[in-house]
Amino acid sequence: MLIRETPSWALPEREATPEPLYLNRRAVVAGLVAAGALPAAAGTDPGRLARIPARRTRDAGEPPTPLADVAGYNNFYEFGLDKSDPARNAGTLRPSPWTVRIGGLVRKPLTLDVDRYIAKAPFEERIYRFRCVEGWSMVIPWVGVPFASLVRAVEPLGSAKYVAFRTLADPVQMPGLRSPVLDWPYREGLRLDEAMHDLTLLTVGVYGRRLPNQNGAPIRLVVPWKYGFKSVKSVVAIDFVETQPQTSWNMATPREYGFYSNVNPEVDHPRWSQARERRIGEFRRRETLMFNGYPEVASLYAGMDLRRFF
Ligand code: MTE
């Protein structure tokens, strides 16, 4: 179910995260900081980041994963390869000021000043399931706007068929760039109709506050029916293009990581099954759902062989 109007159960921003719960999470995060697992820098400590007013428009119907996990168990190879590296190392990222250049095959290219955008855009809170290709998953309350609103603002030309995204690649801010694990900058892409689907979220916050650096501050994409690596972090450039863009993981291992990478329990990764997943915080593995439980995207792939276009 997709809700565009404010539904009767939509929560005002102040109730989106109950304060006792939030304070409890804060205590957990503070504990991690004290233990040296998380640095105390404002950019990485979620409790010290600014709140963003947002109304909840989508609920996953499942309890959100605690903030300590969302902001403490990450993949952000620009800051290291271990799950705890981004929270430990991303204090060097400077998310403000930050601009995103949006261009290519568009009538109205623009440069987005992210701080100004966050001050004025009407944001939504959307609680989405998030499934990593590695077989773990979370439920995350993101704050963002449908990416389609940005697409409409730049007016793509008829020849624009894909959208290419690029992460910052600054070796001064990102120590992980020393590792040749990927061909930097981190690149991702979507077909234009996927990018315009209402579920595709241009994301600036999590748990009601600005994104911690380790989660892709100050602005990232979230595509909930695709494996997590499609949700590119710390975006600096968005280009509308005619042909399918190159993407980092597909370039690194094309046999393992396709351009589409829709969550699909029936198409195994060459080295492991994708039929089940481990929800962070749970003991037993649960079944993975087709399109990660977002069947409304199925029409985007009507007639396509999802084994071939994986
Ligand atoms: N974006 C960049 N720039 N670099 C990365 O290493 N990792 C991807 C994705 N976006 C990644 C990235 C992967 S593999 C996952 S699972 C998600 O970010 C993790 O997002 P999270 O840490 O906010 O949960």
Side-chain angles (χ1 to χ4, degrees):
M1 186 179 59
L2 220 51
I3 298 136
R4 289 203 173 81
E5 301 300 312
T6 307
S8 56
W9 44 265
L11 298 178
E13 182 274 321
R14 67 180 178 284
E15 289 170 24
T17 306
E19 204 65 14
L21 252 187
Y22 169 70
L23 291 174
N24 189 23
R25 289 191 196 102
R26 250 188 114 152
V28 173
V29 173
L32 284 175
V33 171
L38 288 177
T44 53
D45 176 1
R48 292 175 59 187
L49 296 166
R51 269 192 175 276
I52 305 173
R55 67 188 174 93
R56 184 176 298 175
T57 57
R58 180 135 192 154
D59 203 323
E62 299 179 69
T65 303
L67 177 59
D69 292 322
V70 174
Y73 186 89
N74 302 96
N75 277 331
F76 199 169
Y77 279 13
E78 287 87 335
F79 295 100
L81 306 186
D82 288 343
K83 295 287 178 283
S84 58
D85 283 344
R88 192 180 308 115
N89 298 335
T92 47
L93 180 71
R94 294 189 305 271
S96 173
W98 189 283
T99 55
V100 185
R101 187 192 55 70
I102 306 158
L105 301 171
V106 296
R107 222 160 266 122
K108 296 183 173 168
L110 66 84
T111 298
L112 195 75
D113 177 317
V114 174
D115 286 333
R116 283 167 60 184
Y117 185 62
I118 292 180
K120 71 175 181 3
F123 287 104
E124 299 177 29
E125 181 176 65
R126 294 191 177 188
I127 308 182
Y128 282 160
R129 286 177 290 281
F130 189 84
R131 166 66 154 83
C132 178
V133 74
E134 297 164 341
W136 53 266
S137 63
M138 299 191 189
V139 176
I140 305 181
W142 303 109
V143 176
V145 294
F147 183 71
S149 63
L150 197 69
V151 176
R152 281 192 289 272
V154 296
E155 298 183 11
L157 302 175
S159 51
K161 302 281 185 256
Y162 293 87
V163 190
F165 300 86
R166 214 173 66 219
T167 295
L168 177 76
D170 177 359
V172 175
Q173 298 181 59
M174 299 170 143
L177 296 187
R178 283 195 294 267
S179 153
V181 61
L182 288 174
D183 182 7
W184 312 109
Y186 193 99
R187 273 159 281 178
E188 257 310 329
L190 295 173
R191 229 170 48 195
L192 183 59
D193 57 347
E194 297 179 314
M196 291 203 68
H197 194 281
D198 185 67
L199 284 171
T200 304
L201 199 67
L202 186 64
T203 302
V204 297
V206 69
Y207 268 108
R209 292 175 183 266
R210 288 186 67 146
L211 286 171
N213 289 354
Q214 59 269 33
N215 290 99
I219 192 159
R220 70 176 295 178
L221 201 68
V222 174
V223 194
W225 73 93
K226 292 179 179 283
Y227 291 118
F229 68 86
K230 299 292 292 183
S231 293
V232 48
K233 294 176 165 181
S234 303
V235 172
V236 290
I238 302 174
D239 278 293
F240 290 74
V241 295
E242 189 157 7
T243 53
Q244 187 175 299
Q246 290 198 310
T247 58
S248 293
W249 280 107
N250 183 246
M251 286 190 294
T253 330
R255 226 172 52 80
E256 301 192 354
Y257 305 108
F259 175 79
Y260 285 92
S261 288
N262 295 316
V263 175
N264 188 340
E266 289 162 19
V267 177
D268 290 342
H269 185 281
R271 289 183 280 135
W272 59 83
S273 163
Q274 293 290 24
R276 300 174 77 76
E277 67 197 53
R278 186 173 66 87
R279 177 67 49 81
I280 298 299
E282 290 181 356
F283 182 64
R284 285 170 175 273
R285 287 162 75 84
R286 53 163 74 204
E287 285 184 10
T288 286
L289 304 174
M290 186 66 202
F291 298 122
N292 205 20
Y294 297 100
E296 61 264 53
V297 300
S299 60
L300 293 171
Y301 311 104
M304 279 176 70
D305 177 355
L306 295 181
R307 288 186 179 272
R308 195 164 149 241
F309 296 98
F310 63 98

